[in-house]
Amino acid sequence: MELTHLMVIMALSIGIATGRLNSRQPSGYTPSRIVGGADVPAGEHIPYQVSLQYRTAEGQMHFCGGSIITPNRILTAAHCCQGLNVTRMSVVAGIRNLGERGARSRVVAYDIHPNYKELVTSDLAVLSIEPSLKLNNKSISSIEYANKGKNSFVGGGVPVTLTGWGLRLPVPFPFLDAFNYPSILQRMNYNTITNRECREMGMESVTNTEICARGPLRGACSGDSGGPLVMSTEDGLRQVGIVSYGLVVCGLYLSPDVYTRVSTFSDWIDEKCLDE
């Protein structure tokens, strides 16, 4: 999405609550990265993270993230799929750098949640892929997403981690392309806030089907959509959110990021994994 200088100045000064889906639509734009993140170190893996790619005339193009929930099911955002030609979609697992080959599987179908409404609710989809990924518990593995116990609802003040290949600066700067558009997977930590705080900060449509998080000069941006927000539990990492939307300018402290709350939809996700 191309932004004008006027939009940048207005958003920086008064934090206008203009919706921004965090995907990079496959229409020839330059890839974009997480704001305020750092490179995942060489030799380290985020094994549940995948790159969702689209075949264009120029080749395969990263445009969204996703997470492995079973060997042949990927969890992502609904707006990463809606209206796209499934025969041109694929996922790549086991990579840190978008230039790596990794394990590529084609997307054979996607299921968008029936209640999905853009910038409002239920922004999730499950992809069916072939061939199934070979999980090795090192570079490629699934992430736990279901927690149906009494502590499944994530409130405010919870440390969470976001990974993805999304914009590193709040807006594109052509003269900083070499820095702004790296191909290395980014990782960033910040905290959730309560939904009430999120609404008070301009995200008035947020409901309990979503989680909000924010941090100083950090956050999700174009290209991060569909990617996993995770938290640490006594049993290991658990995915609690899916990157959905935010304000026009990414990474402002007054601008929360909005994630689909995975626990709300765990039954629906389970259903879509039954025929694997």
Side-chain angles (χ1 to χ4, degrees):
M1 181 181 297
E2 185 175 357
L3 303 175
T4 64
H5 292 298
L6 178 60
M7 291 172 67
V8 172
I9 293 170
M10 292 174 68
L12 287 171
S13 61
I14 62 177
I16 293 175
T18 304
R20 179 205 73 242
L21 291 172
N22 287 318
S23 66
R24 172 204 169 199
Q25 289 302 319
S27 56
Y29 296 128
T30 307
S32 42
R33 324 266 170 247
I34 280 177
V35 175
D39 291 357
V40 170
E44 185 175 338
H45 300 283
I46 308 296
Y48 50 84
Q49 175 85 45
V50 300
S51 167
L52 184 53
Q53 301 190 1
Y54 201 76
R55 189 177 70 253
T56 69
E58 290 74 32
Q60 299 288 348
M61 184 191 81
H62 167 84
F63 68 99
C64 274
S67 55
I68 303 167
I69 52 176
T70 75
N72 66 350
R73 294 291 189 274
I74 303 296
L75 187 60
T76 190
H79 75 265
C80 288
C81 305
Q82 193 171 51
L84 296 188
N85 183 344
V86 70
T87 66
R88 300 172 68 179
M89 297 169 65
S90 62
V91 301
V92 182
I95 61 171
R96 166 180 172 267
N97 190 318
L98 288 174
E100 297 170 359
R101 182 174 180 178
R104 184 180 297 274
S105 294
R106 65 186 182 278
V107 178
V108 295
Y110 54 77
D111 290 293
I112 292 176
H113 195 279
N115 294 333
Y116 170 57
K117 187 175 181 181
E118 186 175 296
L119 301 175
V120 177
T121 188
S122 308
D123 188 7
L124 74 159
V126 173
L127 311 179
S128 300
I129 61 172
E130 291 181 357
S132 296
L133 296 170
K134 296 180 180 179
L135 308 187
N136 57 25
N137 295 320
K138 183 180 179 181
S139 61
I140 303 177
S141 66
S142 59
I143 180 81
E144 180 59 57
Y145 64 86
N147 184 345
K148 302 175 184 178
K150 63 181 180 180
N151 296 322
S152 63
F153 189 89
V154 177
V158 176
V160 287
T161 299
L162 170 65
T163 49
W165 287 277
L167 196 66
R168 294 184 68 179
L169 296 175
V171 294
F173 291 105
F175 54 91
L176 291 177
D177 279 1
F179 170 80
N180 212 11
Y181 302 143
S183 60
I184 304 297
L185 183 64
Q186 302 291 294
R187 177 169 55 197
M188 180 271 295
N189 300 313
Y190 60 168
N191 293 327
T192 63
I193 59 175
T194 67
N195 284 17
R196 178 179 178 179
E197 291 173 321
C198 196
R199 287 188 289 270
E200 290 173 348
M201 293 173 188
M203 300 303 184
E204 298 175 357
S205 298
V206 164
T207 71
N208 284 342
T209 67
E210 293 151 329
I211 295 176
C212 295
R214 71 165 184 165
L217 297 178
R218 61 186 58 206
C221 204
S222 301
D224 290 325
S225 273
L229 183 75
V230 305
M231 64 175 286
S232 296
T233 72
E234 294 179 354
D235 300 318
L237 293 178
R238 175 166 61 91
Q239 183 172 352
V240 296
I242 302 168
V243 180
S244 184
Y245 69 92
L247 296 188
V248 168
V249 179
C250 313
L252 298 179
Y253 186 66
L254 294 178
S255 167
D257 295 323
V258 181
Y259 296 82
T260 301
R261 187 180 295 273
V262 173
S263 62
T264 303
F265 302 98
S266 59
D267 288 340
W268 182 82
I269 298 169
D270 288 345
E271 177 186 326
K272 296 305 171 184
C273 295
L274 288 178
D275 60 348
E276 63 173 308

Coordinates of all heavy atoms in Angstrom, one line a residue, residues 147-228:
N147 N -6.3 -23.9 23.8 CA -6.3 -23.9 25.2 C -7.7 -23.5 25.7 O -8.1 -22.4 25.7 CB -5.3 -22.9 25.8 CG -5.2 -22.9 27.3 OD1 -6.0 -23.5 28.0 ND2 -4.1 -22.3 27.8
K148 N -8.4 -24.5 26.0 CA -9.9 -24.3 26.3 C -10.1 -24.3 27.8 O -11.3 -24.3 28.2 CB -10.7 -25.5 25.6 CG -10.5 -25.5 24.1 CD -11.2 -26.7 23.5 CE -10.9 -26.8 22.0 NZ -11.5 -28.0 21.4
G149 N -9.1 -24.2 28.6 CA -9.3 -24.1 30.0 C -9.7 -22.7 30.5 O -9.9 -21.8 29.7
K150 N -9.8 -22.6 31.8 CA -10.3 -21.3 32.3 C -9.3 -20.1 32.1 O -9.7 -19.0 32.2 CB -10.6 -21.5 33.8 CG -9.3 -21.8 34.7 CD -9.7 -22.0 36.1 CE -8.4 -22.3 37.0 NZ -8.8 -22.5 38.4
N151 N -8.0 -20.5 31.8 CA -7.1 -19.4 31.6 C -6.8 -19.1 30.1 O -5.7 -18.6 29.8 CB -5.8 -19.8 32.3 CG -5.9 -19.8 33.8 OD1 -6.6 -19.0 34.4 ND2 -5.3 -20.8 34.4
S152 N -7.7 -19.6 29.3 CA -7.4 -19.4 27.8 C -7.5 -18.0 27.3 O -7.0 -17.6 26.3 CB -8.4 -20.3 27.0 OG -9.8 -19.9 27.2
F153 N -8.3 -17.1 28.1 CA -8.5 -15.8 27.6 C -7.2 -14.9 28.0 O -6.9 -14.8 29.2 CB -9.7 -15.1 28.2 CG -10.1 -13.8 27.7 CD1 -10.9 -13.7 26.6 CD2 -9.6 -12.6 28.2 CE1 -11.3 -12.5 26.0 CE2 -9.9 -11.4 27.7 CZ -10.8 -11.3 26.6
V154 N -6.6 -14.4 27.0 CA -5.4 -13.5 27.2 C -5.8 -12.1 27.5 O -6.4 -11.5 26.6 CB -4.4 -13.7 26.0 CG1 -3.2 -12.8 26.3 CG2 -4.0 -15.1 25.8
G155 N -5.5 -11.6 28.6 CA -5.8 -10.2 29.0 C -4.7 -9.3 28.7 O -3.9 -9.5 27.8
G156 N -4.6 -8.1 29.4 CA -3.6 -7.2 29.1 C -2.3 -7.5 29.9 O -2.3 -8.2 30.9
G157 N -1.2 -6.9 29.5 CA 0.0 -7.0 30.2 C 0.7 -8.3 30.0 O 1.6 -8.7 30.8
V158 N 0.4 -9.1 29.0 CA 1.0 -10.4 28.8 C 2.1 -10.3 27.7 O 1.9 -9.7 26.6 CB 0.0 -11.4 28.3 CG1 0.6 -12.7 27.9 CG2 -1.2 -11.6 29.3
P159 N 3.3 -10.7 28.1 CA 4.4 -10.7 27.1 C 4.1 -11.6 25.9 O 3.8 -12.8 26.1 CB 5.7 -11.1 27.9 CG 5.3 -11.0 29.3 CD 3.8 -11.2 29.4
V160 N 4.3 -11.1 24.7 CA 4.0 -11.9 23.5 C 5.1 -11.6 22.5 O 5.8 -10.6 22.5 CB 2.6 -11.5 22.9 CG1 1.5 -12.1 23.7 CG2 2.5 -10.0 22.7
T161 N 5.2 -12.5 21.5 CA 6.3 -12.4 20.5 C 5.7 -12.5 19.1 O 4.8 -13.4 18.9 CB 7.3 -13.5 20.7 OG1 8.0 -13.4 21.9 CG2 8.4 -13.5 19.6
L162 N 6.1 -11.6 18.2 CA 5.6 -11.6 16.9 C 6.8 -11.9 15.9 O 7.9 -11.4 16.1 CB 5.0 -10.3 16.5 CG 4.7 -10.0 15.0 CD1 3.6 -10.9 14.5 CD2 4.3 -8.5 14.8
T163 N 6.6 -12.8 14.9 CA 7.6 -13.0 13.9 C 7.0 -12.8 12.5 O 5.8 -13.0 12.4 CB 8.2 -14.4 14.0 OG1 7.1 -15.4 14.1 CG2 9.1 -14.6 15.2
G164 N 7.8 -12.4 11.6 CA 7.3 -12.2 10.2 C 8.3 -11.5 9.3 O 9.3 -11.1 9.8
W165 N 7.9 -11.3 8.1 CA 8.7 -10.7 7.1 C 8.0 -9.3 6.7 O 7.9 -9.0 5.5 CB 8.8 -11.5 5.9 CG 9.8 -12.7 6.0 CD1 11.1 -12.7 5.9 CD2 9.4 -14.1 6.3 NE1 11.7 -13.9 6.2 CE2 10.6 -14.8 6.4 CE3 8.2 -14.7 6.5 CZ2 10.7 -16.2 6.7 CZ3 8.2 -16.1 6.8 CH2 9.4 -16.8 6.9
G166 N 7.5 -8.6 7.7 CA 6.8 -7.3 7.4 C 7.6 -6.1 7.6 O 8.7 -6.1 8.1
L167 N 7.1 -4.9 7.1 CA 7.9 -3.7 7.1 C 8.6 -3.3 8.4 O 8.0 -3.4 9.5 CB 6.9 -2.5 6.8 CG 7.4 -1.2 6.3 CD1 8.0 -1.3 5.0 CD2 6.2 -0.2 6.3
R168 N 9.9 -2.9 8.3 CA 10.7 -2.6 9.5 C 10.5 -1.2 9.9 O 10.9 -0.9 11.1 CB 12.1 -2.9 9.2 CG 12.4 -4.4 9.0 CD 13.9 -4.7 8.8 NE 14.6 -4.4 10.0 CZ 15.9 -4.6 10.1 NH1 16.6 -5.0 9.1 NH2 16.5 -4.4 11.3
L169 N 10.1 -0.3 9.0 CA 9.9 1.1 9.4 C 8.4 1.4 9.2 O 7.7 0.7 8.5 CB 10.7 2.0 8.4 CG 12.3 1.9 8.6 CD1 12.9 2.8 7.5 CD2 12.7 2.2 10.0
P170 N 7.9 2.5 9.9 CA 6.5 2.7 9.8 C 5.9 2.9 8.4 O 4.7 2.6 8.2 CB 6.3 4.0 10.7 CG 7.5 4.0 11.6 CD 8.6 3.4 10.8
V171 N 6.7 3.4 7.5 CA 6.2 3.6 6.1 C 7.4 3.3 5.2 O 8.5 3.3 5.6 CB 5.7 5.1 5.9 CG1 4.5 5.4 6.7 CG2 6.8 6.1 6.2
P172 N 7.1 3.1 3.9 CA 8.2 2.9 2.9 C 9.0 4.1 2.7 O 8.5 5.2 2.6 CB 7.5 2.5 1.7 CG 6.1 2.1 2.1 CD 5.8 2.9 3.3
F173 N 10.4 4.0 2.8 CA 11.3 5.1 2.4 C 12.2 4.6 1.3 O 13.1 3.8 1.6 CB 12.1 5.5 3.6 CG 11.3 6.2 4.7 CD1 11.0 5.5 5.9 CD2 10.9 7.5 4.6 CE1 10.3 6.1 6.9 CE2 10.1 8.1 5.6 CZ 9.8 7.4 6.8
P174 N 12.0 5.1 0.1 CA 12.7 4.6 -1.1 C 14.2 4.6 -0.9 O 15.0 3.7 -1.3 CB 12.3 5.5 -2.2 CG 10.9 5.9 -1.8 CD 11.0 6.1 -0.3
F175 N 14.7 5.7 -0.2 CA 16.2 5.8 0.0 C 16.7 4.9 1.1 O 17.9 4.9 1.3 CB 16.5 7.3 0.3 CG 15.8 7.9 1.5 CD1 16.3 7.8 2.8 CD2 14.6 8.5 1.3 CE1 15.6 8.3 3.9 CE2 13.9 9.0 2.4 CZ 14.4 8.9 3.7
L176 N 15.8 4.2 1.8 CA 16.3 3.2 2.8 C 15.9 1.8 2.5 O 15.7 0.9 3.3 CB 15.7 3.6 4.2 CG 16.2 4.9 4.8 CD1 15.5 5.2 6.1 CD2 17.7 4.7 5.1
D177 N 15.6 1.5 1.2 CA 15.2 0.2 0.8 C 16.1 -0.9 1.2 O 15.6 -2.0 1.7 CB 15.1 0.2 -0.8 CG 13.8 0.8 -1.3 OD1 13.0 1.3 -0.4 OD2 13.6 0.8 -2.5
A178 N 17.4 -0.7 1.2 CA 18.3 -1.8 1.6 C 18.1 -2.2 3.0 O 18.3 -3.4 3.4 CB 19.7 -1.3 1.4
F179 N 17.7 -1.2 3.9 CA 17.5 -1.5 5.3 C 16.0 -2.0 5.5 O 15.7 -2.9 6.2 CB 17.7 -0.3 6.2 CG 17.2 -0.5 7.6 CD1 18.0 -1.2 8.5 CD2 16.0 0.1 8.0 CE1 17.5 -1.3 9.8 CE2 15.6 -0.1 9.3 CZ 16.3 -0.8 10.2
N180 N 15.1 -1.3 4.9 CA 13.7 -1.5 5.1 C 13.2 -2.8 4.6 O 12.2 -3.4 5.1 CB 12.9 -0.4 4.5 CG 11.6 0.0 5.3 OD1 11.5 -0.5 6.4 ND2 10.8 0.8 4.8
Y181 N 13.8 -3.4 3.5 CA 13.3 -4.5 2.9 C 14.2 -5.7 2.9 O 14.6 -6.3 1.9 CB 12.9 -4.2 1.4 CG 11.9 -3.1 1.2 CD1 12.1 -2.2 0.1 CD2 10.9 -3.0 2.1 CE1 11.2 -1.2 0.0 CE2 10.0 -1.9 1.9 CZ 10.1 -1.1 0.8 OH 9.2 -0.1 0.6
P182 N 14.7 -6.1 4.1 CA 15.6 -7.3 4.2 C 14.7 -8.6 4.0 O 13.5 -8.5 4.1 CB 16.2 -7.2 5.6 CG 15.1 -6.5 6.4 CD 14.5 -5.5 5.4
S183 N 15.4 -9.7 3.7 CA 14.7 -10.9 3.5 C 14.8 -11.8 4.8 O 14.2 -12.9 4.8 CB 15.2 -11.7 2.3 OG 16.6 -11.9 2.5
I184 N 15.4 -11.4 5.8 CA 15.6 -12.2 7.0 C 14.4 -12.1 7.9 O 13.8 -11.0 8.1 CB 16.9 -11.7 7.8 CG1 18.1 -11.7 6.9 CG2 17.0 -12.5 9.1 CD1 18.5 -13.1 6.5
L185 N 13.9 -13.2 8.4 CA 12.8 -13.2 9.3 C 13.1 -12.3 10.5 O 14.1 -12.4 11.1 CB 12.5 -14.7 9.8 CG 11.3 -14.9 10.7 CD1 10.0 -14.6 10.0 CD2 11.3 -16.4 11.1
Q186 N 12.1 -11.5 10.9 CA 12.2 -10.6 12.0 C 11.4 -11.1 13.2 O 10.4 -11.8 13.1 CB 11.6 -9.2 11.6 CG 12.3 -8.6 10.4 CD 13.7 -8.1 10.7 OE1 13.9 -7.2 11.5 NE2 14.7 -8.8 10.1
R187 N 11.9 -10.7 14.4 CA 11.2 -11.1 15.7 C 11.2 -9.9 16.6 O 12.1 -9.1 16.6 CB 12.0 -12.3 16.3 CG 11.4 -12.7 17.7 CD 12.0 -14.0 18.2 NE 13.5 -13.8 18.3 CZ 14.3 -14.9 18.3 NH1 13.8 -16.1 18.3 NH2 15.6 -14.7 18.4
M188 N 10.0 -9.8 17.3 CA 9.8 -8.6 18.1 C 9.0 -9.0 19.3 O 8.0 -9.7 19.2 CB 9.1 -7.5 17.2 CG 8.8 -6.2 17.9 SD 7.2 -6.2 18.7 CE 6.2 -6.3 17.3
N189 N 9.3 -8.4 20.5 CA 8.6 -8.7 21.7 C 7.9 -7.4 22.2 O 8.4 -6.3 22.1 CB 9.5 -9.2 22.8 CG 10.2 -10.5 22.5 OD1 9.6 -11.4 22.0 ND2 11.5 -10.5 22.7
Y190 N 6.6 -7.6 22.6 CA 6.0 -6.5 23.3 C 4.9 -7.1 24.2 O 4.9 -8.3 24.4 CB 5.5 -5.4 22.4 CG 4.5 -5.7 21.3 CD1 3.9 -4.6 20.6 CD2 4.2 -7.0 20.8 CE1 3.0 -4.8 19.5 CE2 3.3 -7.2 19.8 CZ 2.7 -6.1 19.1 OH 1.9 -6.3 18.1
N191 N 3.9 -6.3 24.6 CA 2.9 -6.7 25.6 C 1.5 -6.5 25.0 O 1.2 -5.6 24.3 CB 3.0 -6.1 26.9 CG 4.3 -6.4 27.7 OD1 4.8 -7.5 27.5 ND2 4.8 -5.5 28.4
T192 N 0.6 -7.4 25.4 CA -0.8 -7.2 25.1 C -1.4 -6.0 26.0 O -0.8 -5.6 27.0 CB -1.7 -8.4 25.4 OG1 -1.6 -8.7 26.8 CG2 -1.2 -9.6 24.6
I193 N -2.5 -5.4 25.5 CA -3.2 -4.5 26.3 C -4.7 -5.0 26.4 O -5.1 -5.9 25.6 CB -3.2 -3.1 25.7 CG1 -3.8 -3.1 24.3 CG2 -1.8 -2.5 25.7 CD1 -3.9 -1.7 23.7
T194 N -5.4 -4.5 27.3 CA -6.8 -4.9 27.4 C -7.6 -4.4 26.2 O -7.3 -3.4 25.6 CB -7.5 -4.4 28.7 OG1 -7.6 -3.0 28.6 CG2 -6.7 -4.8 29.9
N195 N -8.7 -5.1 25.9 CA -9.6 -4.6 24.8 C -10.2 -3.3 25.1 O -10.4 -2.5 24.1 CB -10.7 -5.6 24.5 CG -10.1 -6.9 23.8 OD1 -8.9 -7.1 23.8 ND2 -11.0 -7.7 23.2
R196 N -10.4 -3.0 26.3 CA -11.0 -1.6 26.7 C -9.9 -0.6 26.3 O -10.3 0.5 25.7 CB -11.3 -1.6 28.1 CG -11.8 -0.2 28.6 CD -12.2 -0.2 30.1 NE -12.7 1.1 30.5 CZ -13.1 1.4 31.7 NH1 -13.1 0.4 32.7 NH2 -13.4 2.6 32.0
E197 N -8.7 -0.8 26.7 CA -7.6 0.1 26.4 C -7.5 0.3 24.9 O -7.3 1.4 24.4 CB -6.3 -0.3 27.0 CG -6.2 -0.3 28.5 CD -5.0 -0.9 29.0 OE1 -4.5 -2.0 28.5 OE2 -4.4 -0.4 30.0
C198 N -7.6 -0.8 24.2 CA -7.5 -0.8 22.7 C -8.6 0.1 22.1 O -8.3 0.9 21.2 CB -7.6 -2.2 22.2 SG -7.0 -2.5 20.5
R199 N -9.8 -0.1 22.6 CA -10.9 0.8 22.0 C -10.6 2.2 22.3 O -10.9 3.1 21.5 CB -12.2 0.3 22.6 CG -12.7 -1.0 22.0 CD -14.1 -1.4 22.4 NE -14.2 -1.7 23.8 CZ -14.1 -3.0 24.3 NH1 -13.9 -4.0 23.4 NH2 -14.2 -3.2 25.6
E200 N -10.1 2.5 23.5 CA -9.9 3.9 23.9 C -8.8 4.5 23.1 O -8.7 5.8 23.0 CB -9.5 4.0 25.4 CG -10.7 3.7 26.3 CD -10.3 3.6 27.8 OE1 -9.0 3.5 28.1 OE2 -11.2 3.5 28.7
M201 N -7.9 3.7 22.5 CA -6.8 4.2 21.7 C -7.2 4.2 20.2 O -6.3 4.4 19.3 CB -5.6 3.3 21.9 CG -5.0 3.4 23.3 SD -3.7 2.2 23.5 CE -3.4 2.4 25.3
G202 N -8.5 4.1 19.9 CA -8.9 4.3 18.5 C -9.4 3.1 17.8 O -10.0 3.3 16.7
M203 N -9.2 1.9 18.3 CA -9.7 0.7 17.7 C -11.1 0.4 18.2 O -11.3 -0.5 19.0 CB -8.7 -0.4 17.9 CG -7.3 -0.2 17.4 SD -7.4 0.2 15.6 CE -5.6 0.3 15.3
E204 N -12.1 1.2 17.8 CA -13.4 1.2 18.4 C -14.2 -0.1 18.1 O -15.1 -0.4 18.8 CB -14.2 2.4 18.0 CG -13.5 3.7 18.4 CD -14.3 4.9 17.9 OE1 -15.2 4.8 17.1 OE2 -13.9 6.1 18.2
S205 N -13.8 -0.8 17.0 CA -14.5 -2.0 16.6 C -14.1 -3.3 17.3 O -14.6 -4.3 17.0 CB -14.5 -2.1 15.1 OG -15.1 -1.0 14.4
V206 N -13.0 -3.2 18.1 CA -12.4 -4.4 18.7 C -13.4 -5.0 19.6 O -14.1 -4.4 20.4 CB -11.2 -4.0 19.5 CG1 -10.7 -5.1 20.4 CG2 -10.0 -3.7 18.5
T207 N -13.5 -6.4 19.5 CA -14.4 -7.2 20.3 C -13.6 -8.2 21.0 O -12.4 -8.3 20.8 CB -15.5 -7.9 19.5 OG1 -14.9 -8.9 18.7 CG2 -16.2 -6.9 18.6
N208 N -14.2 -9.1 21.8 CA -13.5 -10.1 22.5 C -13.0 -11.2 21.6 O -12.3 -12.2 22.1 CB -14.4 -10.7 23.7 CG -14.4 -9.8 24.9 OD1 -13.6 -8.9 25.0 ND2 -15.4 -10.0 25.7
T209 N -13.3 -11.1 20.3 CA -12.8 -12.1 19.4 C -11.4 -11.7 18.9 O -10.8 -12.3 18.0 CB -13.7 -12.2 18.1 OG1 -13.7 -11.0 17.4 CG2 -15.1 -12.6 18.6
E210 N -10.9 -10.6 19.5 CA -9.5 -10.1 19.1 C -8.7 -9.8 20.3 O -9.2 -9.6 21.4 CB -9.7 -8.8 18.3 CG -10.4 -9.1 16.9 CD -11.2 -7.9 16.4 OE1 -11.7 -7.1 17.2 OE2 -11.3 -7.8 15.1
I211 N -7.4 -9.7 20.1 CA -6.4 -9.3 21.1 C -5.7 -8.1 20.5 O -5.4 -8.0 19.3 CB -5.4 -10.5 21.3 CG1 -6.0 -11.7 21.9 CG2 -4.2 -10.0 22.2 CD1 -5.1 -12.9 22.0
C212 N -5.3 -7.2 21.4 CA -4.5 -6.0 21.0 C -3.2 -6.0 21.7 O -3.1 -6.5 22.9 CB -5.3 -4.7 21.3 SG -6.8 -4.5 20.4
A213 N -2.2 -5.5 21.1 CA -0.9 -5.3 21.7 C -0.2 -4.1 21.1 O -0.6 -3.6 20.1 CB 0.0 -6.5 21.3
R214 N 0.7 -3.5 21.9 CA 1.4 -2.3 21.5 C 2.7 -2.2 22.2 O 3.0 -2.8 23.2 CB 0.6 -1.1 21.7 CG 0.5 -0.6 23.1 CD 0.0 0.8 23.2 NE 0.0 1.2 24.7 CZ -0.2 2.5 25.0 NH1 -0.3 3.4 24.2 NH2 -0.2 2.8 26.3
G215 N 3.6 -1.4 21.6 CA 4.9 -1.1 22.2 C 5.5 0.1 21.5 O 5.1 0.5 20.4
P216 N 6.5 0.7 22.1 CA 7.1 1.9 21.5 C 7.8 1.6 20.3 O 8.8 0.8 20.2 CB 8.1 2.4 22.6 CG 8.4 1.2 23.4 CD 7.2 0.3 23.4
L217 N 7.4 2.3 19.2 CA 8.0 2.2 17.8 C 8.2 0.7 17.4 O 9.3 0.3 16.9 CB 9.3 2.9 17.8 CG 9.2 4.4 18.1 CD1 10.6 5.1 18.1 CD2 8.3 5.1 17.0
R218 N 7.2 -0.1 17.6 CA 7.3 -1.5 17.2 C 5.9 -2.0 16.9 O 4.9 -1.5 17.5 CB 8.0 -2.4 18.2 CG 7.3 -2.4 19.6 CD 8.1 -3.2 20.6 NE 9.4 -2.5 20.8 CZ 10.5 -3.2 21.2 NH1 10.4 -4.5 21.4 NH2 11.7 -2.6 21.3
G219 N 5.8 -3.0 16.1 CA 4.5 -3.6 15.8 C 4.4 -4.3 14.4 O 5.4 -4.3 13.7
A220 N 3.3 -4.8 14.1 CA 3.1 -5.5 12.8 C 2.9 -4.5 11.7 O 2.5 -3.3 12.0 CB 1.8 -6.4 12.9
C221 N 3.2 -4.9 10.5 CA 3.0 -4.0 9.4 C 2.8 -4.8 8.1 O 2.6 -6.0 8.2 CB 4.3 -3.1 9.2 SG 3.9 -1.6 8.3
S222 N 2.7 -4.1 7.0 CA 2.4 -4.8 5.7 C 3.3 -6.0 5.5 O 4.5 -5.8 5.6 CB 2.5 -3.8 4.6 OG 1.6 -2.8 4.8
G223 N 2.8 -7.1 5.1 CA 3.5 -8.3 4.9 C 3.5 -9.3 6.1 O 3.9 -10.4 6.0
D224 N 3.1 -8.8 7.3 CA 3.0 -9.6 8.5 C 1.7 -10.4 8.6 O 1.6 -11.3 9.4 CB 3.3 -8.8 9.7 CG 4.7 -8.3 9.8 OD1 5.6 -9.0 9.4 OD2 4.9 -7.2 10.3
S225 N 0.7 -9.9 7.9 CA -0.7 -10.5 8.1 C -0.6 -12.0 8.1 O 0.1 -12.6 7.3 CB -1.6 -10.0 7.0 OG -2.2 -8.8 7.4
G226 N -1.5 -12.6 8.9 CA -1.6 -14.0 9.0 C -0.6 -14.7 9.8 O -0.7 -15.9 10.1
G227 N 0.4 -14.0 10.2 CA 1.5 -14.5 11.0 C 1.1 -14.8 12.5 O 0.1 -14.2 13.0
P228 N 1.9 -15.6 13.2 CA 1.5 -15.9 14.6 C 2.0 -15.0 15.6 O 3.2 -14.5 15.6 CB 2.2 -17.3 14.7 CG 3.4 -17.2 13.8 CD 3.0 -16.3 12.7

